[in-house]
Amino acid sequence: EAGVTQSPTHLIKTRGQQATLRCSPISGHTSVYWYQQALGLGLQFLLWYDEGEERNRGNFPPRFSGRQFPNYSSELNVNALELEDSALYLCASSTDRNYGYTFGSGTRLTVV
Amino acid sequence: AQTVTQSQPEMSVQEAETVTLSCTYDTSENNYYLFWYKQPPSRQMILVIRQEAYKQQNATENRFSVNFQKAAKSFSLKISDSQLGDTAMYFCAFMKQGANSKLTFGKGITLSVRP
């Protein structure tokens, strides 16, 4: 069974540009979660999508947005990139979240 | 809002010895779940162990066990017979029961296993 896959592995962008990160959940998982892991800050919750709908959103500005497609894959878009957006972005999926999430290996976003 | 605190930023242990990683949390909920995740240099977060708050018995998974103290809101992870492959960041996480709940993580602890 394929795990949670994220692309690209690494992404380098210039301040002010837009970044698009992609995530494919485990087959059968309908929920997708996005977390930002910045150095020294642990994992900060960004977004949660389930069945194509946004279920919950973390304390991030509106320039962080996303969507979930009918096949349950998801995109995270970050507009007007700032240097502080440099981080590892982790995607996770679940079918029953009470048993935890399964994570991908992340996209390392570097803003220069 | 729930918070998870991991006060030790780094720990080191000799191979084959036992180490305990600390975690405390703050919540007014009575029903919830607690987790420990491991993040090796490969970056992928791996679920190590899970505890249901309504169960008094501490969870165990092979060399990994927890000491769950609900009244003290403490959830420590014990790793027995430490192996070099245990070198990683370890994150404690909390999730309350119910709709719209999500995992809240601590800041993590870096564990180094020395040969």
Side-chain angles (χ1 to χ4, degrees):
Chain A
E1 177 184 82
V4 177
T5 57
Q6 293 187 245
S7 62
T9 305
H10 294 87
L11 189 59
I12 299 175
K13 290 286 186 178
T14 303
R15 189 171 51 184
Q17 284 188 317
Q18 178 196 43
T20 298
L21 288 64
R22 296 179 177 83
C23 173
S24 292
I26 289 175
S27 177
H29 287 192
T30 60
S31 282
V32 170
Y33 311 84
W34 288 95
Y35 283 81
Q36 182 195 67
Q37 186 179 9
L39 197 61
L41 294 180
L43 278 75
Q44 304 293 314
F45 171 72
L46 269 165
L47 289 159
W48 168 15
Y49 291 97
D50 182 54
E51 299 280 359
E53 301 283 332
E54 183 180 297
R55 298 295 184 192
N56 207 334
R57 182 183 179 84
N59 188 25
F60 280 83
R63 58 190 186 83
F64 287 83
S65 65
R67 55 180 172 168
Q68 187 178 33
F69 299 99
N71 66 354
Y72 304 118
S73 67
S74 177
E75 265 183 10
L76 174 68
N77 295 295
V78 189
N79 293 320
L81 284 165
E82 300 178 2
L83 297 179
E84 310 82 73
D85 298 332
S86 294
L88 179 66
Y89 289 83
L90 291 168
C91 173
S93 72
S94 74
T95 182
D96 182 349
R97 62 184 184 278
N98 293 333
Y99 287 87
Y101 306 162
T102 303
F103 283 83
S105 296
T107 293
R108 172 75 65 188
L109 173 64
T110 302
V111 182
V112 298
Chain B
Q2 289 76 30
T3 58
V4 179
T5 303
Q6 295 179 253
S7 57
Q8 309 152 303
E10 294 182 15
M11 287 193 74
S12 179
V13 65
Q14 194 76 30
E15 192 176 10
E17 295 193 343
T18 295
V19 63
T20 298
L21 311 182
S22 300
C23 172
T24 58
Y25 57 94
D26 186 26
T27 184
S28 57
E29 303 287 333
N30 191 47
N31 295 318
Y32 49 86
Y33 304 91
L34 294 162
F35 304 84
W36 278 98
Y37 277 86
K38 168 186 176 181
Q39 186 180 39
S42 66
R43 310 185 320 200
Q44 184 163 16
M45 299 276 285
I46 301 165
L47 178 63
V48 174
I49 201 164
R50 167 183 175 269
Q51 176 80 41
E52 298 170 353
Y54 65 87
K55 289 187 177 178
Q56 291 188 337
Q57 186 175 6
N58 289 323
T60 299
E61 289 287 343
N62 300 314
R63 298 183 295 109
F64 298 88
S65 61
V66 299
N67 183 4
F68 173 48
Q69 301 289 329
K70 191 172 184 180
K73 296 180 183 176
S74 169
F75 184 60
S76 60
L77 176 69
K78 185 172 82 171
I79 305 175
S80 304
D81 184 26
S82 296
Q83 300 176 359
L84 297 179
D86 295 333
T87 292
M89 278 202 76
Y90 287 81
F91 292 91
C92 179
F94 170 99
M95 182 165 64
K96 67 179 183 180
Q97 198 174 56
N100 295 329
S101 58
K102 64 189 187 307
L103 275 176
T104 299
F105 287 86
K107 291 188 177 182
I109 176 172
T110 299
L111 175 68
S112 300
V113 180
R114 305 185 306 274

